[in-house]
Amino acid sequence: MYRLLILAGDGIGAEIMPEVQQVAHWFIARGLPISLQEEPFGIAAWKAHGTLMRAQTWQQIMQADAILFGAIGSPEYEAIPAHEKQQDYLLKMRRELGLYTNLRWIRALPGLEDASSLRPEVLAGTDMLIVRELTGGLYFGEPRGIERAPDGSGRAFNTLVYSSEEVQRIAREAFALARTRRGRVCNVDKSNVLETFQFWRETVIELQQREFPEIELSHQYVDNCAMQLVRRPAQFDVILTENLFGDILSDCAAMVAGSLGMLPSASLGRRDAQGRRRALYEPIHGSAPDIAGRGLANPCGAILSFALCLRYTLQRPDEAALLEGAVSAVIASGLAMSRPAISGALPWTGSYSALRLPFLSAAPSEAEGSMPSEPVSIAAQSDRISPNRLSVTTTSNCLGVRTSCMAQLSAYIWASSILGYSASCSA
Ligand code: IPM
Ligand code: MG
């Protein structure tokens, strides 16, 4: 049994994680060995228990096989006493669970071409995996601090430090993942200026020559990489980079997908003797306080993060692909329906519950071939100004016909079940 702990956290975390739960239950009902727990975290914990994270929550975090994380960050933190919020619990989890590998998979999604600020022909074929080192570098290097002098002046410092062991273990992840993809790794650093990166690059090259000679290794300086990401994103297969550069480049690369709201991430620790690794899965969009509580948040990044959990924690690549395919189908079909909705020709409900339908409509009893009874159309819109926002709406009966979109999704689930999905789950 895999123990998954849901920490919805702040802002839109509370809206997207129930969607993930629905999806998880769909898989549980088909026999996947998952137990779900949930703990309040962040502002919700503060309101209920007067602390941002209870001790028992931390215990659960330490015991979980994986954490399904929503988001952290809210204007409400301003009202919380400074001593309570000294600790950044997301960074604490990364550090104490040893989650040194951060994977951010970024693709151009059919149906979302219009949402990107890049031209469709620039986006075409983009499918890259950013492998970000997550527990070292400036985020955690010591010494760090701010020194203030009595005259009001001062100095502040952080330390950019990497050991050979830290570089090797993340580079090994990148090379191993490249083996399962197109066999190319682009290492991104700033070795023209900083010694840390001269050392980083040397270490990466040595490792490649020793353990991964078949992988094609190239190098870019981080400034050039930022430009290449918007100039020709399709050139990348796997990008290997350190903590801070990975943070910045992954936001930049997110524009390829048109919306930060689409992007999943996995943070993984080292393998134990049984090959299990601690893990935290989270959408990369953050808490989006501007749209929180309005039913506009896009749950795709969180749902796709759950797909990564199926892939890496449960080691069920087929189920992960099923889920990813269903989300892609919703996006592709939903956007095809979006134009009349945007122009006001269709009523909006303002909810994204359409995304639930492909899962909920095929409850176990009806998995073998039945179609959902309710005709539903899906309208989706991504908003360039608020990049977290992709609203997918259902407009039941408004067209008076079953839309091709819904039929396609049901067919997808139906086909999956007759292709032996249920059998493989109960095995
Ligand atoms: C991310 C976020 C975090 C980071 C913040 C919330 C600490 O921006 O996961 O990309 O900087 O790593
Ligand atoms: Mg970031």
Side-chain angles (χ1 to χ4, degrees), residues 94 102-106 128-132 134 246-248 250-251 263-267 282-284 308:
R94 287 178 184 173
N102 182 235
L103 307 178
R104 298 186 170 188
W105 179 32
I106 296 173
M128 71 178 107
L129 181 66
I130 299 184
V131 179
R132 169 187 175 193
L134 202 63
D247 180 44
I248 298 167
S250 57
D251 269 29
L263 298 178
S265 82
S267 303
E282 61 174 319
I284 76 165
L308 293 181

mmCIF file with all atom_site columns, all heavy atoms in Angstrom, residues 94 102-106 128-132 134 246-248 250-251 263-267 282-284 308:
data_model
loop_
_atom_site.group_PDB
_atom_site.id
_atom_site.type_symbol
_atom_site.label_atom_id
_atom_site.label_alt_id
_atom_site.label_comp_id
_atom_site.label_asym_id
_atom_site.label_entity_id
_atom_site.label_seq_id
_atom_site.pdbx_PDB_ins_code
_atom_site.Cartn_x
_atom_site.Cartn_y
_atom_site.Cartn_z
_atom_site.occupancy
_atom_site.B_iso_or_equiv
_atom_site.pdbx_formal_charge
_atom_site.auth_seq_id
_atom_site.auth_comp_id
_atom_site.auth_asym_id
_atom_site.auth_atom_id
_atom_site.pdbx_PDB_model_num
ATOM 1   N N   . ARG A 1 94  ? 11.763 19.818 1.273   1.00 0.00 ? 94  ARG A N   1
ATOM 2   C CA  . ARG A 1 94  ? 12.754 19.464 0.254   1.00 0.00 ? 94  ARG A CA  1
ATOM 3   C C   . ARG A 1 94  ? 14.065 19.042 0.913   1.00 0.00 ? 94  ARG A C   1
ATOM 4   O O   . ARG A 1 94  ? 14.671 18.036 0.540   1.00 0.00 ? 94  ARG A O   1
ATOM 5   C CB  . ARG A 1 94  ? 13.015 20.673 -0.664  1.00 0.00 ? 94  ARG A CB  1
ATOM 6   C CG  . ARG A 1 94  ? 11.868 20.961 -1.608  1.00 0.00 ? 94  ARG A CG  1
ATOM 7   C CD  . ARG A 1 94  ? 12.151 22.200 -2.461  1.00 0.00 ? 94  ARG A CD  1
ATOM 8   N NE  . ARG A 1 94  ? 11.014 22.531 -3.307  1.00 0.00 ? 94  ARG A NE  1
ATOM 9   C CZ  . ARG A 1 94  ? 10.926 23.636 -4.050  1.00 0.00 ? 94  ARG A CZ  1
ATOM 10  N NH1 . ARG A 1 94  ? 11.905 24.527 -4.051  1.00 0.00 ? 94  ARG A NH1 1
ATOM 11  N NH2 . ARG A 1 94  ? 9.872  23.845 -4.795  1.00 0.00 ? 94  ARG A NH2 1
ATOM 12  N N   . ASN A 1 102 ? 14.468 17.401 -8.998  1.00 0.00 ? 102 ASN A N   1
ATOM 13  C CA  . ASN A 1 102 ? 13.201 18.045 -9.350  1.00 0.00 ? 102 ASN A CA  1
ATOM 14  C C   . ASN A 1 102 ? 13.002 17.944 -10.861 1.00 0.00 ? 102 ASN A C   1
ATOM 15  O O   . ASN A 1 102 ? 13.850 18.372 -11.634 1.00 0.00 ? 102 ASN A O   1
ATOM 16  C CB  . ASN A 1 102 ? 13.231 19.513 -8.903  1.00 0.00 ? 102 ASN A CB  1
ATOM 17  C CG  . ASN A 1 102 ? 11.926 20.247 -9.178  1.00 0.00 ? 102 ASN A CG  1
ATOM 18  O OD1 . ASN A 1 102 ? 11.924 21.292 -9.830  1.00 0.00 ? 102 ASN A OD1 1
ATOM 19  N ND2 . ASN A 1 102 ? 10.818 19.726 -8.700  1.00 0.00 ? 102 ASN A ND2 1
ATOM 20  N N   . LEU A 1 103 ? 11.873 17.337 -11.237 1.00 0.00 ? 103 LEU A N   1
ATOM 21  C CA  . LEU A 1 103 ? 11.593 17.129 -12.657 1.00 0.00 ? 103 LEU A CA  1
ATOM 22  C C   . LEU A 1 103 ? 10.452 18.027 -13.092 1.00 0.00 ? 103 LEU A C   1
ATOM 23  O O   . LEU A 1 103 ? 9.375  18.012 -12.486 1.00 0.00 ? 103 LEU A O   1
ATOM 24  C CB  . LEU A 1 103 ? 11.208 15.666 -12.901 1.00 0.00 ? 103 LEU A CB  1
ATOM 25  C CG  . LEU A 1 103 ? 12.187 14.612 -12.377 1.00 0.00 ? 103 LEU A CG  1
ATOM 26  C CD1 . LEU A 1 103 ? 11.649 13.218 -12.646 1.00 0.00 ? 103 LEU A CD1 1
ATOM 27  C CD2 . LEU A 1 103 ? 13.559 14.795 -13.007 1.00 0.00 ? 103 LEU A CD2 1
ATOM 28  N N   . ARG A 1 104 ? 10.683 18.793 -14.116 1.00 0.00 ? 104 ARG A N   1
ATOM 29  C CA  . ARG A 1 104 ? 9.626  19.663 -14.666 1.00 0.00 ? 104 ARG A CA  1
ATOM 30  C C   . ARG A 1 104 ? 9.534  19.384 -16.158 1.00 0.00 ? 104 ARG A C   1
ATOM 31  O O   . ARG A 1 104 ? 10.430 19.703 -16.926 1.00 0.00 ? 104 ARG A O   1
ATOM 32  C CB  . ARG A 1 104 ? 9.955  21.132 -14.376 1.00 0.00 ? 104 ARG A CB  1
ATOM 33  C CG  . ARG A 1 104 ? 10.001 21.354 -12.884 1.00 0.00 ? 104 ARG A CG  1
ATOM 34  C CD  . ARG A 1 104 ? 10.186 22.778 -12.445 1.00 0.00 ? 104 ARG A CD  1
ATOM 35  N NE  . ARG A 1 104 ? 9.958  22.824 -11.004 1.00 0.00 ? 104 ARG A NE  1
ATOM 36  C CZ  . ARG A 1 104 ? 9.888  23.921 -10.283 1.00 0.00 ? 104 ARG A CZ  1
ATOM 37  N NH1 . ARG A 1 104 ? 10.032 25.095 -10.859 1.00 0.00 ? 104 ARG A NH1 1
ATOM 38  N NH2 . ARG A 1 104 ? 9.670  23.866 -8.991  1.00 0.00 ? 104 ARG A NH2 1
ATOM 39  N N   . TRP A 1 105 ? 8.437  18.770 -16.501 1.00 0.00 ? 105 TRP A N   1
ATOM 40  C CA  . TRP A 1 105 ? 8.243  18.283 -17.867 1.00 0.00 ? 105 TRP A CA  1
ATOM 41  C C   . TRP A 1 105 ? 7.392  19.298 -18.613 1.00 0.00 ? 105 TRP A C   1
ATOM 42  O O   . TRP A 1 105 ? 6.276  19.610 -18.183 1.00 0.00 ? 105 TRP A O   1
ATOM 43  C CB  . TRP A 1 105 ? 7.553  16.919 -17.764 1.00 0.00 ? 105 TRP A CB  1
ATOM 44  C CG  . TRP A 1 105 ? 7.260  16.267 -19.060 1.00 0.00 ? 105 TRP A CG  1
ATOM 45  C CD1 . TRP A 1 105 ? 7.970  16.356 -20.207 1.00 0.00 ? 105 TRP A CD1 1
ATOM 46  C CD2 . TRP A 1 105 ? 6.173  15.383 -19.318 1.00 0.00 ? 105 TRP A CD2 1
ATOM 47  N NE1 . TRP A 1 105 ? 7.405  15.578 -21.170 1.00 0.00 ? 105 TRP A NE1 1
ATOM 48  C CE2 . TRP A 1 105 ? 6.297  14.981 -20.657 1.00 0.00 ? 105 TRP A CE2 1
ATOM 49  C CE3 . TRP A 1 105 ? 5.101  14.885 -18.570 1.00 0.00 ? 105 TRP A CE3 1
ATOM 50  C CZ2 . TRP A 1 105 ? 5.389  14.114 -21.257 1.00 0.00 ? 105 TRP A CZ2 1
ATOM 51  C CZ3 . TRP A 1 105 ? 4.213  14.021 -19.162 1.00 0.00 ? 105 TRP A CZ3 1
ATOM 52  C CH2 . TRP A 1 105 ? 4.360  13.638 -20.497 1.00 0.00 ? 105 TRP A CH2 1
ATOM 53  N N   . ILE A 1 106 ? 7.907  19.811 -19.683 1.00 0.00 ? 106 ILE A N   1
ATOM 54  C CA  . ILE A 1 106 ? 7.237  20.901 -20.386 1.00 0.00 ? 106 ILE A CA  1
ATOM 55  C C   . ILE A 1 106 ? 7.039  20.551 -21.856 1.00 0.00 ? 106 ILE A C   1
ATOM 56  O O   . ILE A 1 106 ? 7.990  20.248 -22.570 1.00 0.00 ? 106 ILE A O   1
ATOM 57  C CB  . ILE A 1 106 ? 8.072  22.199 -20.224 1.00 0.00 ? 106 ILE A CB  1
ATOM 58  C CG1 . ILE A 1 106 ? 8.090  22.561 -18.734 1.00 0.00 ? 106 ILE A CG1 1
ATOM 59  C CG2 . ILE A 1 106 ? 7.486  23.326 -21.072 1.00 0.00 ? 106 ILE A CG2 1
ATOM 60  C CD1 . ILE A 1 106 ? 8.980  23.687 -18.356 1.00 0.00 ? 106 ILE A CD1 1
ATOM 61  N N   . MET A 1 128 ? 10.309 18.898 -23.437 1.00 0.00 ? 128 MET A N   1
ATOM 62  C CA  . MET A 1 128 ? 11.586 18.892 -22.706 1.00 0.00 ? 128 MET A CA  1
ATOM 63  C C   . MET A 1 128 ? 11.358 18.561 -21.236 1.00 0.00 ? 128 MET A C   1
ATOM 64  O O   . MET A 1 128 ? 10.276 18.772 -20.691 1.00 0.00 ? 128 MET A O   1
ATOM 65  C CB  . MET A 1 128 ? 12.281 20.258 -22.835 1.00 0.00 ? 128 MET A CB  1
ATOM 66  C CG  . MET A 1 128 ? 11.601 21.374 -22.063 1.00 0.00 ? 128 MET A CG  1
ATOM 67  S SD  . MET A 1 128 ? 12.480 22.920 -22.208 1.00 0.00 ? 128 MET A SD  1
ATOM 68  C CE  . MET A 1 128 ? 11.389 23.835 -23.305 1.00 0.00 ? 128 MET A CE  1
ATOM 69  N N   . LEU A 1 129 ? 12.399 18.040 -20.649 1.00 0.00 ? 129 LEU A N   1
ATOM 70  C CA  . LEU A 1 129 ? 12.358 17.719 -19.234 1.00 0.00 ? 129 LEU A CA  1
ATOM 71  C C   . LEU A 1 129 ? 13.458 18.525 -18.550 1.00 0.00 ? 129 LEU A C   1
ATOM 72  O O   . LEU A 1 129 ? 14.637 18.351 -18.872 1.00 0.00 ? 129 LEU A O   1
ATOM 73  C CB  . LEU A 1 129 ? 12.601 16.218 -19.049 1.00 0.00 ? 129 LEU A CB  1
ATOM 74  C CG  . LEU A 1 129 ? 12.559 15.734 -17.612 1.00 0.00 ? 129 LEU A CG  1
ATOM 75  C CD1 . LEU A 1 129 ? 11.161 15.878 -17.024 1.00 0.00 ? 129 LEU A CD1 1
ATOM 76  C CD2 . LEU A 1 129 ? 12.993 14.270 -17.548 1.00 0.00 ? 129 LEU A CD2 1
ATOM 77  N N   . ILE A 1 130 ? 13.051 19.412 -17.641 1.00 0.00 ? 130 ILE A N   1
ATOM 78  C CA  . ILE A 1 130 ? 14.053 20.151 -16.884 1.00 0.00 ? 130 ILE A CA  1
ATOM 79  C C   . ILE A 1 130 ? 14.368 19.355 -15.623 1.00 0.00 ? 130 ILE A C   1
ATOM 80  O O   . ILE A 1 130 ? 13.466 19.025 -14.849 1.00 0.00 ? 130 ILE A O   1
ATOM 81  C CB  . ILE A 1 130 ? 13.551 21.569 -16.532 1.00 0.00 ? 130 ILE A CB  1
ATOM 82  C CG1 . ILE A 1 130 ? 13.281 22.345 -17.829 1.00 0.00 ? 130 ILE A CG1 1
ATOM 83  C CG2 . ILE A 1 130 ? 14.572 22.303 -15.651 1.00 0.00 ? 130 ILE A CG2 1
ATOM 84  C CD1 . ILE A 1 130 ? 12.865 23.784 -17.636 1.00 0.00 ? 130 ILE A CD1 1
ATOM 85  N N   . VAL A 1 131 ? 15.633 19.011 -15.453 1.00 0.00 ? 131 VAL A N   1
ATOM 86  C CA  . VAL A 1 131 ? 16.082 18.304 -14.250 1.00 0.00 ? 131 VAL A CA  1
ATOM 87  C C   . VAL A 1 131 ? 16.820 19.332 -13.400 1.00 0.00 ? 131 VAL A C   1
ATOM 88  O O   . VAL A 1 131 ? 17.928 19.746 -13.715 1.00 0.00 ? 131 VAL A O   1
ATOM 89  C CB  . VAL A 1 131 ? 16.993 17.115 -14.617 1.00 0.00 ? 131 VAL A CB  1
ATOM 90  C CG1 . VAL A 1 131 ? 17.464 16.401 -13.352 1.00 0.00 ? 131 VAL A CG1 1
ATOM 91  C CG2 . VAL A 1 131 ? 16.263 16.145 -15.533 1.00 0.00 ? 131 VAL A CG2 1
ATOM 92  N N   . ARG A 1 132 ? 16.133 19.749 -12.343 1.00 0.00 ? 132 ARG A N   1
ATOM 93  C CA  . ARG A 1 132 ? 16.655 20.824 -11.485 1.00 0.00 ? 132 ARG A CA  1
ATOM 94  C C   . ARG A 1 132 ? 17.183 20.243 -10.182 1.00 0.00 ? 132 ARG A C   1
ATOM 95  O O   . ARG A 1 132 ? 16.454 19.495 -9.505  1.00 0.00 ? 132 ARG A O   1
ATOM 96  C CB  . ARG A 1 132 ? 15.506 21.809 -11.208 1.00 0.00 ? 132 ARG A CB  1
ATOM 97  C CG  . ARG A 1 132 ? 15.802 22.841 -10.130 1.00 0.00 ? 132 ARG A CG  1
ATOM 98  C CD  . ARG A 1 132 ? 14.560 23.675 -9.797  1.00 0.00 ? 132 ARG A CD  1
ATOM 99  N NE  . ARG A 1 132 ? 14.817 24.577 -8.684  1.00 0.00 ? 132 ARG A NE  1
ATOM 100 C CZ  . ARG A 1 132 ? 13.893 25.253 -8.008  1.00 0.00 ? 132 ARG A CZ  1
ATOM 101 N NH1 . ARG A 1 132 ? 12.610 25.130 -8.348  1.00 0.00 ? 132 ARG A NH1 1
ATOM 102 N NH2 . ARG A 1 132 ? 14.215 26.044 -7.020  1.00 0.00 ? 132 ARG A NH2 1
ATOM 103 N N   . LEU A 1 134 ? 17.673 20.315 -6.400  1.00 0.00 ? 134 LEU A N   1
ATOM 104 C CA  . LEU A 1 134 ? 16.693 20.999 -5.548  1.00 0.00 ? 134 LEU A CA  1
ATOM 105 C C   . LEU A 1 134 ? 17.110 21.178 -4.091  1.00 0.00 ? 134 LEU A C   1
ATOM 106 O O   . LEU A 1 134 ? 16.406 21.826 -3.320  1.00 0.00 ? 134 LEU A O   1
ATOM 107 C CB  . LEU A 1 134 ? 15.361 20.222 -5.613  1.00 0.00 ? 134 LEU A CB  1
ATOM 108 C CG  . LEU A 1 134 ? 14.090 20.991 -5.244  1.00 0.00 ? 134 LEU A CG  1
ATOM 109 C CD1 . LEU A 1 134 ? 13.832 22.149 -6.195  1.00 0.00 ? 134 LEU A CD1 1
ATOM 110 C CD2 . LEU A 1 134 ? 12.877 20.077 -5.207  1.00 0.00 ? 134 LEU A CD2 1
ATOM 111 N N   . GLY A 1 246 ? 17.371 26.508 -12.331 1.00 0.00 ? 246 GLY A N   1
ATOM 112 C CA  . GLY A 1 246 ? 16.220 25.670 -12.660 1.00 0.00 ? 246 GLY A CA  1
ATOM 113 C C   . GLY A 1 246 ? 14.911 26.355 -12.299 1.00 0.00 ? 246 GLY A C   1
ATOM 114 O O   . GLY A 1 246 ? 13.905 26.217 -12.993 1.00 0.00 ? 246 GLY A O   1
ATOM 115 N N   . ASP A 1 247 ? 14.923 27.090 -11.193 1.00 0.00 ? 247 ASP A N   1
ATOM 116 C CA  . ASP A 1 247 ? 13.742 27.842 -10.788 1.00 0.00 ? 247 ASP A CA  1
ATOM 117 C C   . ASP A 1 247 ? 13.376 28.853 -11.873 1.00 0.00 ? 247 ASP A C   1
ATOM 118 O O   . ASP A 1 247 ? 12.235 28.932 -12.321 1.00 0.00 ? 247 ASP A O   1
ATOM 119 C CB  . ASP A 1 247 ? 14.037 28.554 -9.452  1.00 0.00 ? 247 ASP A CB  1
ATOM 120 C CG  . ASP A 1 247 ? 12.856 29.364 -8.973  1.00 0.00 ? 247 ASP A CG  1
ATOM 121 O OD1 . ASP A 1 247 ? 11.728 28.856 -9.031  1.00 0.00 ? 247 ASP A OD1 1
ATOM 122 O OD2 . ASP A 1 247 ? 13.071 30.523 -8.550  1.00 0.00 ? 247 ASP A OD2 1
ATOM 123 N N   . ILE A 1 248 ? 14.370 29.601 -12.309 1.00 0.00 ? 248 ILE A N   1
ATOM 124 C CA  . ILE A 1 248 ? 14.113 30.689 -13.261 1.00 0.00 ? 248 ILE A CA  1
ATOM 125 C C   . ILE A 1 248 ? 13.779 30.129 -14.650 1.00 0.00 ? 248 ILE A C   1
ATOM 126 O O   . ILE A 1 248 ? 12.792 30.521 -15.273 1.00 0.00 ? 248 ILE A O   1
ATOM 127 C CB  . ILE A 1 248 ? 15.349 31.610 -13.337 1.00 0.00 ? 248 ILE A CB  1
ATOM 128 C CG1 . ILE A 1 248 ? 15.608 32.239 -11.958 1.00 0.00 ? 248 ILE A CG1 1
ATOM 129 C CG2 . ILE A 1 248 ? 15.151 32.691 -14.398 1.00 0.00 ? 248 ILE A CG2 1
ATOM 130 C CD1 . ILE A 1 248 ? 16.962 32.912 -11.821 1.00 0.00 ? 248 ILE A CD1 1
ATOM 131 N N   . SER A 1 250 ? 12.592 27.295 -15.507 1.00 0.00 ? 250 SER A N   1
ATOM 132 C CA  . SER A 1 250 ? 11.340 26.543 -15.658 1.00 0.00 ? 250 SER A CA  1
ATOM 133 C C   . SER A 1 250 ? 10.145 27.489 -15.778 1.00 0.00 ? 250 SER A C   1
ATOM 134 O O   . SER A 1 250 ? 9.190  27.178 -16.484 1.00 0.00 ? 250 SER A O   1
ATOM 135 C CB  . SER A 1 250 ? 11.150 25.518 -14.530 1.00 0.00 ? 250 SER A CB  1
ATOM 136 O OG  . SER A 1 250 ? 11.188 26.119 -13.268 1.00 0.00 ? 250 SER A OG  1
ATOM 137 N N   . ASP A 1 251 ? 10.188 28.638 -15.124 1.00 0.00 ? 251 ASP A N   1
ATOM 138 C CA  . ASP A 1 251 ? 9.109  29.607 -15.349 1.00 0.00 ? 251 ASP A CA  1
ATOM 139 C C   . ASP A 1 251 ? 9.136  30.109 -16.789 1.00 0.00 ? 251 ASP A C   1
ATOM 140 O O   . ASP A 1 251 ? 8.099  30.273 -17.427 1.00 0.00 ? 251 ASP A O   1
ATOM 141 C CB  . ASP A 1 251 ? 9.240  30.812 -14.401 1.00 0.00 ? 251 ASP A CB  1
ATOM 142 C CG  . ASP A 1 251 ? 8.467  30.621 -13.102 1.00 0.00 ? 251 ASP A CG  1
ATOM 143 O OD1 . ASP A 1 251 ? 8.307  29.460 -12.680 1.00 0.00 ? 251 ASP A OD1 1
ATOM 144 O OD2 . ASP A 1 251 ? 8.012  31.628 -12.517 1.00 0.00 ? 251 ASP A OD2 1
ATOM 145 N N   . LEU A 1 263 ? 1.460  22.794 -15.679 1.00 0.00 ? 263 LEU A N   1
ATOM 146 C CA  . LEU A 1 263 ? 2.728  22.085 -15.521 1.00 0.00 ? 263 LEU A CA  1
ATOM 147 C C   . LEU A 1 263 ? 2.859  21.347 -14.203 1.00 0.00 ? 263 LEU A C   1
ATOM 148 O O   . LEU A 1 263 ? 2.692  21.919 -13.137 1.00 0.00 ? 263 LEU A O   1
ATOM 149 C CB  . LEU A 1 263 ? 3.882  23.076 -15.666 1.00 0.00 ? 263 LEU A CB  1
ATOM 150 C CG  . LEU A 1 263 ? 3.927  23.717 -17.045 1.00 0.00 ? 263 LEU A CG  1
ATOM 151 C CD1 . LEU A 1 263 ? 5.046  24.724 -17.110 1.00 0.00 ? 263 LEU A CD1 1
ATOM 152 C CD2 . LEU A 1 263 ? 4.109  22.670 -18.120 1.00 0.00 ? 263 LEU A CD2 1
ATOM 153 N N   . PRO A 1 264 ? 3.192  20.068 -14.293 1.00 0.00 ? 264 PRO A N   1
ATOM 154 C CA  . PRO A 1 264 ? 3.407  19.246 -13.103 1.00 0.00 ? 264 PRO A CA  1
ATOM 155 C C   . PRO A 1 264 ? 4.881  19.258 -12.701 1.00 0.00 ? 264 PRO A C   1
ATOM 156 O O   . PRO A 1 264 ? 5.742  19.634 -13.484 1.00 0.00 ? 264 PRO A O   1
ATOM 157 C CB  . PRO A 1 264 ? 3.049  17.853 -13.601 1.00 0.00 ? 264 PRO A CB  1
ATOM 158 C CG  . PRO A 1 264 ? 3.509  17.847 -15.030 1.00 0.00 ? 264 PRO A CG  1
ATOM 159 C CD  . PRO A 1 264 ? 3.303  19.261 -15.536 1.00 0.00 ? 264 PRO A CD  1
ATOM 160 N N   . SER A 1 265 ? 5.146  18.813 -11.480 1.00 0.00 ? 265 SER A N   1
ATOM 161 C CA  . SER A 1 265 ? 6.536  18.560 -11.121 1.00 0.00 ? 265 SER A CA  1
ATOM 162 C C   . SER A 1 265 ? 6.615  17.411 -10.129 1.00 0.00 ? 265 SER A C   1
ATOM 163 O O   . SER A 1 265 ? 5.653  17.118 -9.405  1.00 0.00 ? 265 SER A O   1
ATOM 164 C CB  . SER A 1 265 ? 7.198  19.813 -10.549 1.00 0.00 ? 265 SER A CB  1
ATOM 165 O OG  . SER A 1 265 ? 6.874  19.966 -9.182  1.00 0.00 ? 265 SER A OG  1
ATOM 166 N N   . ALA A 1 266 ? 7.770  16.780 -10.131 1.00 0.00 ? 266 ALA A N   1
ATOM 167 C CA  . ALA A 1 266 ? 8.059  15.719 -9.168  1.00 0.00 ? 266 ALA A CA  1
ATOM 168 C C   . ALA A 1 266 ? 9.368  16.065 -8.491  1.00 0.00 ? 266 ALA A C   1
ATOM 169 O O   . ALA A 1 266 ? 10.306 16.494 -9.148  1.00 0.00 ? 266 ALA A O   1
ATOM 170 C CB  . ALA A 1 266 ? 8.199  14.378 -9.889  1.00 0.00 ? 266 ALA A CB  1
ATOM 171 N N   . SER A 1 267 ? 9.411  15.904 -7.167  1.00 0.00 ? 267 SER A N   1
ATOM 172 C CA  . SER A 1 267 ? 10.655 16.082 -6.430  1.00 0.00 ? 267 SER A CA  1
ATOM 173 C C   . SER A 1 267 ? 10.961 14.766 -5.739  1.00 0.00 ? 267 SER A C   1
ATOM 174 O O   . SER A 1 267 ? 10.146 14.261 -4.962  1.00 0.00 ? 267 SER A O   1
ATOM 175 C CB  . SER A 1 267 ? 10.508 17.193 -5.382  1.00 0.00 ? 267 SER A CB  1
ATOM 176 O OG  . SER A 1 267 ? 10.104 18.386 -6.018  1.00 0.00 ? 267 SER A OG  1
ATOM 177 N N   . GLU A 1 282 ? 3.967  18.306 -7.055  1.00 0.00 ? 282 GLU A N   1
ATOM 178 C CA  . GLU A 1 282 ? 3.240  19.578 -6.960  1.00 0.00 ? 282 GLU A CA  1
ATOM 179 C C   . GLU A 1 282 ? 3.176  20.249 -8.323  1.00 0.00 ? 282 GLU A C   1
ATOM 180 O O   . GLU A 1 282 ? 4.111  20.158 -9.115  1.00 0.00 ? 282 GLU A O   1
ATOM 181 C CB  . GLU A 1 282 ? 3.910  20.525 -5.957  1.00 0.00 ? 282 GLU A CB  1
ATOM 182 C CG  . GLU A 1 282 ? 5.315  20.891 -6.328  1.00 0.00 ? 282 GLU A CG  1
ATOM 183 C CD  . GLU A 1 282 ? 5.971  21.952 -5.428  1.00 0.00 ? 282 GLU A CD  1
ATOM 184 O OE1 . GLU A 1 282 ? 5.316  22.928 -5.046  1.00 0.00 ? 282 GLU A OE1 1
ATOM 185 O OE2 . GLU A 1 282 ? 7.175  21.792 -5.148  1.00 0.00 ? 282 GLU A OE2 1
ATOM 186 N N   . PRO A 1 283 ? 2.062  20.926 -8.592  1.00 0.00 ? 283 PRO A N   1
ATOM 187 C CA  . PRO A 1 283 ? 2.026  21.759 -9.790  1.00 0.00 ? 283 PRO A CA  1
ATOM 188 C C   . PRO A 1 283 ? 2.977  22.929 -9.561  1.00 0.00 ? 283 PRO A C   1
ATOM 189 O O   . PRO A 1 283 ? 3.185  23.342 -8.423  1.00 0.00 ? 283 PRO A O   1
ATOM 190 C CB  . PRO A 1 283 ? 0.573  22.241 -9.832  1.00 0.00 ? 283 PRO A CB  1
ATOM 191 C CG  . PRO A 1 283 ? 0.106  22.170 -8.414  1.00 0.00 ? 283 PRO A CG  1
ATOM 192 C CD  . PRO A 1 283 ? 0.856  21.040 -7.783  1.00 0.00 ? 283 PRO A CD  1
ATOM 193 N N   . ILE A 1 284 ? 3.542  23.468 -10.627 1.00 0.00 ? 284 ILE A N   1
ATOM 194 C CA  . ILE A 1 284 ? 4.534  24.521 -10.379 1.00 0.00 ? 284 ILE A CA  1
ATOM 195 C C   . ILE A 1 284 ? 3.922  25.930 -10.314 1.00 0.00 ? 284 ILE A C   1
ATOM 196 O O   . ILE A 1 284 ? 4.638  26.901 -10.154 1.00 0.00 ? 284 ILE A O   1
ATOM 197 C CB  . ILE A 1 284 ? 5.715  24.485 -11.373 1.00 0.00 ? 284 ILE A CB  1
ATOM 198 C CG1 . ILE A 1 284 ? 5.370  25.033 -12.745 1.00 0.00 ? 284 ILE A CG1 1
ATOM 199 C CG2 . ILE A 1 284 ? 6.280  23.088 -11.507 1.00 0.00 ? 284 ILE A CG2 1
ATOM 200 C CD1 . ILE A 1 284 ? 6.617  25.308 -13.559 1.00 0.00 ? 284 ILE A CD1 1
ATOM 201 N N   . LEU A 1 308 ? 2.485  11.880 -12.413 1.00 0.00 ? 308 LEU A N   1
ATOM 202 C CA  . LEU A 1 308 ? 3.902  11.617 -12.132 1.00 0.00 ? 308 LEU A CA  1
ATOM 203 C C   . LEU A 1 308 ? 4.058  10.726 -10.897 1.00 0.00 ? 308 LEU A C   1
ATOM 204 O O   . LEU A 1 308 ? 4.958  9.902  -10.816 1.00 0.00 ? 308 LEU A O   1
ATOM 205 C CB  . LEU A 1 308 ? 4.670  12.930 -11.936 1.00 0.00 ? 308 LEU A CB  1
ATOM 206 C CG  . LEU A 1 308 ? 4.793  13.817 -13.182 1.00 0.00 ? 308 LEU A CG  1
ATOM 207 C CD1 . LEU A 1 308 ? 5.599  15.074 -12.860 1.00 0.00 ? 308 LEU A CD1 1
ATOM 208 C CD2 . LEU A 1 308 ? 5.456  13.056 -14.332 1.00 0.00 ? 308 LEU A CD2 1
#
